[in-house]
């Protein structure tokens, strides 16, 4: 038996969440076209023959640490490398320009085996286009494996999974085998709501938006959930609600359907919008919202 922790790192939007969801075959971490949708370190657990792979999804690493939220994101991304058994560095074969020196430094410090996963190869006009990429990579760092993949189409993920398993240390399961994630249901519910908001309002809304679950009550066959969407300014509240409440209504309906699927129960979802000035730039409110260390 093999078991261990695997960190998925890389710039925002390269396909880390898509890869994790695809490997796990379930929607645990949220994905969207916008960078920085993943705010939390999420454990996804995959039990295969003779092995347990525990995935840690990380937010992208950011150069600037201007605001408290970004500082938190950076901390999570860095600490997630410590003590992991395998690191998967995901890069986008289309937008790649050069190997990030900061990431390479961090990989050297972490001392864990590193797999370079070259993603989105389904969009390359020719497979040969990946060759110069592989050469450049080999010159910059001693990767244990270099694997071209498509997280979206599922190409080569079996190879990736096999290589990960090979690199894991020997040991028995870390978590019970029926467990898929260590995140509580409430957290996953708030992420589902936030995902719908980001998808619907992507052009109008800044990253300054969070969802907290105020009530989560199981009553026989019905689950009653009260969720509050926090925004920074009055104007953002107007946007989130939309004309005649149409945005909030659509988000609520889509989120409810997803949540019902996840919880396998009827859900009554009550959505509210509140203004809390400067929440993303205040460590204390971050902590009170559960983003703290
Ligand atoms: P993350 O920020 O690294 O977690 O990236 P996401 O997983 O959220 O993906 C960002 C975008 O890239 C989404 O629109 C995905 O559908 C898309 N994407 C991810 N993997 C692939 C892939 O293999 N091929 C293509 N064509 N698109 C992908
Ligand atoms: Mg992500």
């Amino acid at each position: 038996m093999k078991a261990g922790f695997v960190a998925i790192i890389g710039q925002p939007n390269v396909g880390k969440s898509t890869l994790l969801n695809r490997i796990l075959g379930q929607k645990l971490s949220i994905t969207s076209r916008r960078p920085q949708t993943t705010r939390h370190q999420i454990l996804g657990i995959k039990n295969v023959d003779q092995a347990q792979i525990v995935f840690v999804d990380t937010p992208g690493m950011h150069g600037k640490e201007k605001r408290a939220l970004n500082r938190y994101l950076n901390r999570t991304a860095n600490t997630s490398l410590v003590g992991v058994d395998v690191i998967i560095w995901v890069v986008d074969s289309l937008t790649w320009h050069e190997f990030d020196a900061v990431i390479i430094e961090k990989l050297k410090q972490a001392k864990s085996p590193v797999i370079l996963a070259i993603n989105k190869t389904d969009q390359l006009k020719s497979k040969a286009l990946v060759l110069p990429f592989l050469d450049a990579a080999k010159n910059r760092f001693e990767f244990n494996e270099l694997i071209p993949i498509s997280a979206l189409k599922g190409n080569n993920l079996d190879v990736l999974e096999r290589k990960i398993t090979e690199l894991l240390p020997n040991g028995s399961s870390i978590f019970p085998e029926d467990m898929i994630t260590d995140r509580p249901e409430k957290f996953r519910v708030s992420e589902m709501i936030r995902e719908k908001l980001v998808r619907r309002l992507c052009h109008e809304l800044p990253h300054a938006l969070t969802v907290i679950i105020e009530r989560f009550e199981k009553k026989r066959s019905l689950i009653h959930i009260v969720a509050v969407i926090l925004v920074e300014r009055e104007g953002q509240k107007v946007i989130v609600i939309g004309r005649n409440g149409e945005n909030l209504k659509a988000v609520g309906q889509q989120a409810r359907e997803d949540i019902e699927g996840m919880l396998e129960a009827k859900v009554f979802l009550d959505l509210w919008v509140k203004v809390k000035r400067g929440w993303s730039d205040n460590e204390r409110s971050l902590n009170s919202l559960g983003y703290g260390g």
Side-chain angles (χ1 to χ4, degrees):
M1 184 84 194
K2 292 185 157 217
F5 292 92
V6 176
I8 301 177
I9 64 156
Q11 299 290 339
N13 248 10
V14 293
K16 299 179 295 297
S17 301
T18 307
L19 176 64
L20 183 75
N21 291 336
R22 184 81 196 205
I23 291 181
L24 294 172
Q26 290 198 37
K27 199 168 188 189
L28 292 183
S29 170
I30 66 168
T31 60
S32 90
R33 263 169 242 286
R34 264 184 91 98
Q36 254 179 283
T37 353
T38 312
R39 276 189 191 156
H40 295 257
Q41 186 175 309
I42 295 173
L43 283 176
I45 301 168
K46 171 101 181 183
N47 295 294
V48 290
D49 239 19
Q50 305 296 313
Q52 183 174 67
I53 312 171
V54 181
F55 286 99
V56 193
D57 188 22
T58 65
M61 297 190 189
H62 309 278
K64 296 194 180 72
E65 299 197 0
K66 269 196 198 135
R67 293 153 66 96
L69 184 58
N70 281 345
R71 278 199 299 277
Y72 164 74
L73 288 172
N74 233 333
R75 243 181 355 245
T76 335
N78 292 343
T79 51
S80 68
L81 289 188
V82 177
V84 298
D85 301 295
V86 179
I87 297 167
I88 303 172
W89 183 4
V90 184
V91 292
D92 181 337
S93 60
L94 295 171
T95 61
W96 175 82
H97 293 296
E98 59 184 65
F99 281 97
D100 190 322
V102 178
I103 293 188
I104 288 187
E105 245 345 280
K106 283 173 181 163
L107 293 179
K108 283 181 180 159
Q109 285 165 20
K111 295 192 174 72
S112 313
V114 181
I115 298 174
L116 185 72
I118 302 126
N119 193 28
K120 306 196 187 181
T121 52
D122 58 287
Q123 290 194 325
L124 289 178
K125 287 200 184 71
S126 137
K127 284 212 172 101
L129 289 172
V130 88
L131 295 175
F133 200 106
L134 296 179
D135 283 336
K138 283 177 192 157
N139 285 333
R140 293 301 308 277
F141 186 78
E142 251 185 74
F143 293 100
N144 290 67
E145 299 287 343
L146 301 108
I147 308 174
I149 60 163
S150 167
L152 196 66
K153 307 273 186 225
N155 298 342
N156 239 10
L157 298 189
D158 49 340
V159 176
L160 177 63
E161 222 176 282
R162 209 160 50 237
K163 294 296 177 192
I164 295 168
T165 310
E166 279 173 27
L167 291 169
L168 289 179
N170 294 325
S172 51
S173 297
I174 300 161
F175 294 100
E177 279 177 19
D178 56 359
M179 202 169 139
I180 310 157
T181 175
D182 75 329
R183 288 282 168 188
E185 284 173 341
K186 263 166 83 169
F187 166 78
R188 290 168 70 190
V189 165
S190 71
E191 287 292 88
M192 283 177 163
I193 297 168
R194 202 160 61 82
E195 178 189 52
K196 299 294 176 283
L197 280 165
V198 171
R199 287 241 165 102
R200 187 169 176 95
L201 307 169
C202 57
H203 298 301
E204 292 150 289
L205 214 72
H207 292 119
L209 177 151
T210 200
V211 177
I212 48 174
I213 307 298
E214 287 210 328
R215 232 173 98 191
F216 190 96
E217 232 175 59
K218 290 185 186 175
K219 281 187 199 154
R220 273 171 262 129
S221 59
L222 187 83
I223 300 174
H224 187 181
I225 299 170
V226 180
V228 178
I229 301 161
L230 288 186
V231 293
E232 289 187 327
R233 288 188 299 275
E234 204 59 48
Q236 294 166 345
K237 179 174 168 178
V238 173
I239 292 171
V240 170
I241 292 171
R243 197 150 43 93
N244 302 322
E246 61 182 7
N247 286 343
L248 202 59
K249 216 156 100 189
V251 165
Q253 190 183 330
Q254 290 163 6
R256 181 180 51 77
E257 285 168 8
D258 254 29
I259 297 165
E260 286 184 336
M262 176 182 79
L263 300 174
E264 293 175 335
K266 273 249 159 271
V267 166
F268 181 80
L269 178 61
D270 213 358
L271 275 186
W272 296 85
V273 189
K274 275 184 196 163
V275 180
K276 190 169 186 234
R277 254 163 261 280
W279 75 264
S280 72
D281 209 18
N282 178 322
E283 297 271 1
R284 219 173 29 197
S285 24
L286 282 179
N287 284 335
S288 74
L289 295 171
Y291 288 117

